[in-house]
Amino acid sequence: MAVPLLDLKAQYATIRDDVVAAMMRVVDDQTFILGPQVKELEDKVAELSNTKFAIGCASGTDALLLAMKALDIGPGDEVITTPFTFFATAGTIHNVGAKPVFVDIDPDTFNILPQAAAAAVNSRTKAVMPVDLFGQMAAMDAIMTAIQDVPVIEDAAQAIGATREIGGRTVRAGEVATIGTFSFFPSKNLGGYGDGGMMVTQDETLATRLMRLRVHGGLKTYFHDEVGFNSRLDSLQAAVLLAKLPHLEKWSAARRRNAAYYDAAFADMDEVRTPYVDPHNVSIYNQYTIRAKRRDELQAHLKEKGIGHSVYYPLPLHLQPCFKYLEYREGECPESERAAKEVVSLPIYPELTEAQLDEVAGAVRQFYGH
Ligand SMILES: Cc1ncc(COP(=O)(O)O)c(C=O)c1O
């Protein structure tokens, strides 16, 4: 039996009537740009994230870009981040004119090492950008203690609704950062039917600036305090996301159940290292990413068996051709480089059946002769 890496149609089948009705309301009202659905979704995401403000925008990439603009980051500035992440994290730093500074990851969680981030801070540093990779929050407490007053942009594109215990309190993805960012790319736990993104913050001044930056830099039509962008969350996307939001908790819990299923299925194997979740964290498992011996051969075996899989990410960002000008060399972020050679992500989406989970686990076990 073939099992896809992600089956968006399986989820759509369970919510079709609600989503179509929500989309048709926008069409009937013809309120396509910043309609009431956008504000409603912003309020709900702020509530979910324990933040005072949430501001929709066109994508998770733009959310990072706007966040840096709101913090006046530009040429001559440095932003510290991880090289083991989706390209947008560092691409946006480059695109605001700043310099991405890459530091290595914790080999257990794949998230940025707080001490390494702190060691890279200098007078040009304008922000640290941790990523909540694969749905697990970065060690925000340790990072923020280590870097002191430096602003933090938490790239929570993959982690909406993830939590971490900090000082006896349950903190949400995006909550304690200067600005947190989300993506509603269709493959995310809360995915739209196209691109979409959101920024969250506790700071009213930053929230106002972000709202202004997404509409050409002026909140009063045709009056521009600064040069901004056209980066709005579409009302149609907001309507889809509002229809999906009540299911998010349940879907993320189903992903955790699937993860536990695989963890148990691989528990006796030396060849597979199952994902490590810090005991302070609750992951939303946007990906279930193992480290596998003979990874490339395993991939070929999974392909032959029709088991969907993907390597996130095969080449760390400090070694990407486009960042040659930064003059990083192989060996400078050894854990990121090792992870890139060892990781492979398996199907984890909520609608997987037990038979499908068995098929995936069985194919992996079979490859290693178990
Ligand atoms: C870690 C990370 N950052 C940023 C992004 C960019 O989000 P988007 O695709 O919505 O622009 C993504 C998602 O694709 C991501 O996974």
Side-chain angles (χ1 to χ4, degrees):
M1 176 191 9
V3 183
L5 180 62
L6 177 64
D7 184 355
L8 290 174
K9 284 188 179 167
Q11 183 174 87
Y12 176 59
T14 69
I15 54 171
R16 186 185 181 282
D17 292 351
D18 288 348
V19 176
V20 171
M23 290 172 84
M24 282 316 295
R25 274 195 293 279
V26 177
V27 176
D28 289 341
D29 292 345
Q30 298 281 296
T31 50
F32 300 115
I33 304 295
L34 294 180
Q37 294 82 4
V38 175
K39 177 77 176 88
E40 192 183 338
L41 182 71
E42 288 171 342
D43 289 347
K44 290 198 165 146
V45 170
E47 194 185 327
L48 170 77
S49 311
N50 274 337
T51 57
K52 293 201 183 108
F53 306 96
I55 303 99
C57 65
S59 67
T61 302
D62 274 11
L64 293 168
L65 198 76
L66 294 170
M68 281 183 279
K69 285 286 181 186
L71 292 168
D72 292 313
I73 297 172
D77 299 334
E78 295 183 359
V79 177
I80 297 165
T81 193
T82 156
F84 194 60
T85 175
F86 179 62
F87 182 73
T89 312
T92 50
I93 299 172
H94 170 98
N95 277 340
V96 297
K99 178 180 169 190
V101 174
F102 296 111
V103 300
D104 213 357
I105 54 165
D106 175 340
D108 289 328
T109 61
F110 300 118
N111 283 331
I112 197 168
L113 269 176
Q115 316 85 283
V121 172
N122 63 42
S123 58
R124 293 178 298 280
T125 308
K126 282 292 166 62
V128 174
M129 195 186 278
V131 178
D132 300 337
L133 204 71
F134 303 145
Q136 167 168 216
M137 277 180 69
M140 293 299 290
D141 38 350
I143 293 167
M144 293 174 82
T145 304
I147 63 171
Q148 298 179 344
D149 302 331
V150 179
V152 180
I153 300 170
E154 180 181 357
D155 182 348
Q158 303 181 3
I160 192 164
T163 63
R164 178 173 176 84
E165 289 295 315
I166 298 181
R169 201 167 73 77
T170 302
V171 163
R172 298 248 163 189
E175 178 179 343
V176 294
T178 313
I179 301 173
T181 65
F182 299 119
S183 162
F184 301 126
F185 187 79
S187 65
K188 302 298 193 251
N189 288 36
L190 183 64
Y193 291 177
D195 280 311
M198 201 164 280
M199 302 151 291
V200 291
T201 182
Q202 311 286 6
D203 183 317
E204 187 168 6
T205 308
L206 282 176
T208 307
R209 184 103 189 259
L210 290 167
M211 269 193 288
R212 171 171 107 181
L213 280 166
R214 75 174 169 183
V215 284
H216 295 295
L219 287 174
K220 196 170 152 199
T221 311
Y222 305 127
F223 291 86
H224 305 273
D225 304 297
E226 62 181 318
V227 178
F229 301 84
N230 174 2
S231 183
R232 290 154 318 209
L233 178 66
D234 206 294
S235 302
L236 275 169
Q237 295 307 330
V240 170
L241 294 163
L242 277 170
K244 292 180 80 172
L245 190 59
H247 303 281
L248 177 63
E249 200 64 38
K250 172 185 76 193
W251 286 334
S252 293
R255 286 169 180 265
R256 280 192 289 277
R257 269 203 310 281
N258 294 342
Y261 198 93
Y262 287 142
D263 285 351
F266 303 143
D268 62 332
M269 298 171 67
D270 291 338
E271 300 90 341
V272 167
R273 168 98 152 83
T274 54
Y276 172 83
V277 178
D278 181 313
H280 297 96
N281 282 347
V282 175
S283 174
I284 63 157
Y285 281 101
N286 184 242
Q287 299 296 342
Y288 182 87
T289 304
I290 60 171
R291 286 184 190 261
K293 295 221 165 103
R294 298 191 285 131
R295 193 267 318 267
D296 295 353
E297 287 170 62
L298 171 64
Q299 276 190 282
H301 173 77
L302 293 175
K303 188 167 177 213
E304 192 190 307
K305 294 263 158 198
I307 307 294
H309 59 276
S310 190
V311 171
Y312 306 113
Y313 298 93
L315 184 63
L317 301 187
H318 66 296
L319 301 179
Q320 293 285 346
C322 66
F323 290 136
K324 257 208 170 98
Y325 72 93
L326 296 171
E327 297 184 344
Y328 283 92
R329 274 186 203 85
E330 215 168 321
E332 282 193 76
C333 295
E335 289 301 343
S336 302
E337 292 162 31
R338 187 162 72 90
K341 293 191 179 94
E342 294 180 355
V343 295
V344 59
S345 300
L346 301 175
I348 190 70
Y349 62 89
E351 297 78 18
L352 282 169
T353 62
E354 202 165 314
Q356 288 176 310
L357 290 164
D358 277 339
E359 192 78 14
V360 176
V364 173
R365 292 186 63 83
Q366 183 195 35
F367 173 70
Y368 294 108
H370 288 273

